[in-house]
Every structure is written in structure tokens, then in C-alpha cells.
Amino acid sequence: MGACLYLLAFAIILAVATAGGACPASDRDALLALKAGLNEPYLGILDTWTGNDCCHNWHGISCNAETMRVADINLRGESEDPIYERAHRSGYMTGSISPAICNLTGLAVLVVADWKGISGPIPRCVTSLPSLRILDLIGNKFTGRIPPYIGRLHELTLRRQPPPPHAPRPPKQQALRPDPRRHRAAFHAEPGPAEREPAYGDHPLSFANIYRLADLDLSLNRLSGQLPDMFGKMPVLATLNLDGNLITGPIPPSLLNSGVSILNLSRNSIEGRIPDVFGPGSYFMAIDLSYNMLSGPIPKSISAAAYIGHLDLAHNQLCGPIPDGPPFDHLDADSFLGNTCLCGKPLSSC
Ligand SMILES: *[C@@H]1O[C@H](CO)[C@@H](O)[C@H](O)[C@H]1NC(C)=O
Ligand SMILES: *[C@@H]1O[C@H](CO)[C@@H](O)[C@H](O)[C@H]1NC(C)=O
């Protein structure tokens, strides 16, 4: 009788263990390749990435409960996780992101944020991960161009297959709580044809396979190139934060009359006039264009926008009278300081 109970208990434990499952070896290998390319000397976070089952107790890794595929990589160098309090420091990591990460075809969330020292290009293949919804890579040293020709590829992407109806949703983030201080990136990605990885060099980061992008946050890196016209034509793009990069060229007019409602392009080298295309379709919680090289007048059409909450045009080369009406009647002088020759309320009269 006793032996029977033991056997039964053993069978149950075995069944539970099997149902719980472990991550596939291919996912574990991809994570180990990611680990091999990174160096995190102070907290030992990546030291937890050991053993066969990458779904359990690997810091920042969560798996889809049904498929046991890796669904969520959530590595934040600054957060409220006690690990940082205990270490009395924020995170620091060097190295680069291995393209092997693209073998994680169940990946829905990829957050590698605020590590300050991770460099190299963002692997282009991330844009063809079939389930990827969120990509947050702020606060690193990633390089690469945002390609100017991207707009031409937009139509092509729209003809691609819709995502599978049962695509896994991102699991609840357990390892680290999200940082409430900032808006975070969310690529809403579509599967695309396999992209060729260029052999070397500072190649463009291709957004060609992505048309469901809702929030994109690549702030505080070293990305260069011009703003693709495509950003203003993406139906669900709501937040675009590219502040603190090396972006050049003009603002695409479509961006100012699109679904984007939070736009931060501050601290780049964007030039030319601010397109005079604001209209009833322009609804901005915040537009920050400060610390660029924008010239010419402030467009009058801004007053025709449906709504503009915060507007920051400081530290450019703008000139001429500040228009009347909303949103100018609720902005203070800080929004206009440091320009070539702006005048009128709230600055001194013309
Ligand atoms: C990624 O997948 C490719 C193709 O299946 C394979 O050759 C390669 O070894 C994998 N890389 C890693 C690190 O798992
Ligand atoms: C835009 O980005 C800059 C630089 O990173 C930051 O200082 C500023 O607060 C941001 N603006 C808004 C409106 O969030």
C-alpha cells in the first residue's frame, strides 16, 4: 500500500514536471549566445543564466506558459528592483546584442534598456521576429542609420500576412517591474521575409517589416540618418521617442498630421523648417523639438491642430513672430528660448 502511494506520488510529480516543461534547447542556446556577447560585471545578473531550463530562475526571462518558448526578455539597468538597491548602483553592461536573439521566434517583448554601455547595431532581424510587440532599447550606445528609403517599403509591408490569431501575448513581467518614469518602446511587429544580414558595417536599422508599431523608444543612443517618412504613415504609431541621438535632415510633414501623439525629437541635428501642415488630424499630448537646428518661422497652422498639450521649440534657429491662439496662449517662455529671433508673447514684443 505504502509503495503504491509512493509510486502514485512519483507519477504525479513526473506529470507536473512534464506539463511545466522546460525551454527548448534552441531557445536556451540563443540566450546563451546573447549572454556571450554581453558583459555585466557588477550585479551578476547574467550569471543566473545557467542550467538547462531557461524558463525558470533566469533573471529577466519569462516563457509562454503553453508553448514554453521564451516570450519575454526584460533586462533594465535602472528600475526599482531590489537588486539595484542592494548593490547601491544602477546597471552597466557592455558588449552587443547577438543576432542569435532572432532564433527566439516566440519572443514578444525585448527590453534591454538603460545599460549605458551596450553598443553595435541593433540586429536587423529583430524586425522580422513574428511575435515581437515591444522593443525597448533606450539608454545604450547603439549605432546605425534609420534608412531614408523606408517609406517606399510601406506598401510592400501592408501586403504581408496578418499575425496568427493565436500569437502569444506578452506574459506578465515578473522579474523586474516596469520603470514608470518613461514611455517605453513597443514595436508591433509583423512577420516578414528573412532579411539578409549585411556582413559588416554601420548598416541601416530596417523597419520595413513592421507596420503595427505603436510605441517606439530608441532614445539616448547613437542612431543616425534621417527620419523616414514612413513614421507618419503608420496607422497605430502613437509614441515616437528618438531624443538624444544623431538624427539629421528634415521633419517629414506626414509626422505632424498623423496618429502620433507623443513626439520627442529633442537633442538631435534635425534641420530645415517645421512643416506648415498641422491640422485637425494633429493631436499631440507633447511635441519636443528642442535642441535641434530647425530654422524659419513657427508655422501658423499649429493653431489649427486639434490639440497640443506641451510644445517645446527651445534652442533652435527659429525666427519671427510667435503666432496667437492655442497652444501659444498656454505656453511659457521656456518653450521658445535660445532661438535666433523669435518675438511676441510670451517673449518680448516684436
Ligand atoms: C540559430 O539558428 C540557426 C539556424 O537554425 C543555427 O544555425 C544557429 O546555430 C542558431 N544559433 C544559436 C546561437 O542558437
Ligand atoms: C524629450 O527628451 C529630452 C532629452 O532626452 C528630455 O529632456 C525631455 O524631457 C523630453 N521631452 C518630453 C516632453 O518628454
Side-chain angles (χ1 to χ4, degrees), residues 182 220 243 264 266-267 286 288 310:
R182 283 190 153 266
L220 307 173
D243 48 283
N264 197 342
S266 178
R267 295 179 191 272
D288 192 339
H310 180 74

Coordinates of all heavy atoms in Angstrom, one line a residue, residues 182 220 243 264 266-267 286 288 310, ligand 2:
R182 N 9.3 56.6 -17.7 CA 9.4 56.9 -19.1 C 8.4 56.2 -19.9 O 7.9 55.1 -19.5 CB 10.8 56.4 -19.6 CG 11.9 57.2 -19.3 CD 13.1 56.7 -20.1 NE 14.0 57.8 -20.3 CZ 14.0 58.6 -21.3 NH1 13.2 58.4 -22.3 NH2 14.9 59.5 -21.4
L220 N 18.3 58.2 -26.6 CA 19.6 58.2 -25.9 C 20.4 57.0 -26.4 O 21.0 56.2 -25.6 CB 19.3 58.1 -24.3 CG 18.4 59.2 -23.8 CD1 18.1 58.9 -22.3 CD2 19.0 60.5 -23.9
D243 N 14.7 61.0 -29.0 CA 15.5 62.1 -28.5 C 16.9 61.6 -28.1 O 17.1 60.4 -27.8 CB 14.8 62.7 -27.2 CG 14.3 61.7 -26.3 OD1 13.3 61.1 -26.5 OD2 15.0 61.4 -25.2
N264 N 9.0 63.0 -29.4 CA 10.2 63.6 -28.8 C 11.4 63.5 -29.8 O 11.9 62.4 -29.9 CB 10.5 63.1 -27.4 CG 11.5 64.0 -26.7 OD1 12.1 64.9 -27.3 ND2 11.6 63.9 -25.4
S266 N 13.9 65.8 -29.5 CA 14.9 66.7 -28.9 C 16.3 66.2 -29.0 O 16.6 65.0 -29.0 CB 14.5 66.9 -27.4 OG 15.4 67.7 -26.7
R267 N 17.2 67.1 -29.0 CA 18.7 66.8 -28.9 C 19.1 65.8 -30.1 O 19.6 64.8 -29.8 CB 19.0 66.2 -27.6 CG 18.9 67.3 -26.5 CD 19.2 66.8 -25.1 NE 18.7 67.8 -24.1 CZ 19.5 68.8 -23.7 NH1 20.7 69.0 -24.1 NH2 19.0 69.6 -22.8
A286 N 2.3 65.9 -26.4 CA 3.6 66.6 -26.3 C 4.4 66.5 -27.6 O 4.4 65.4 -28.2 CB 4.4 66.0 -25.1
D288 N 8.3 67.7 -28.5 CA 9.5 68.3 -28.1 C 10.5 68.3 -29.3 O 11.0 67.2 -29.7 CB 10.1 67.5 -26.9 CG 11.2 68.3 -26.2 OD1 11.8 69.1 -26.9 OD2 11.5 68.0 -25.0
H310 N 1.8 70.0 -24.7 CA 3.1 70.6 -24.4 C 3.9 70.8 -25.8 O 3.8 69.9 -26.6 CB 3.9 69.7 -23.5 CG 5.3 70.2 -23.2 ND1 5.5 71.2 -22.3 CD2 6.5 69.8 -23.6 CE1 6.8 71.5 -22.3 NE2 7.4 70.6 -23.0
Ligands
LIG2 C1 12.4 64.8 -24.6 O1 13.8 64.2 -24.5 C2 14.6 65.1 -23.8 C3 16.0 64.6 -23.9 O2 16.1 63.2 -23.7 C4 14.1 65.2 -22.4 O3 15.0 66.0 -21.6 C5 12.7 65.8 -22.4 O4 12.2 65.9 -21.1 C6 11.8 65.0 -23.3 N1 10.6 65.8 -23.5 C7 9.4 65.4 -23.1 C8 8.2 66.3 -23.5 O5 9.2 64.3 -22.6

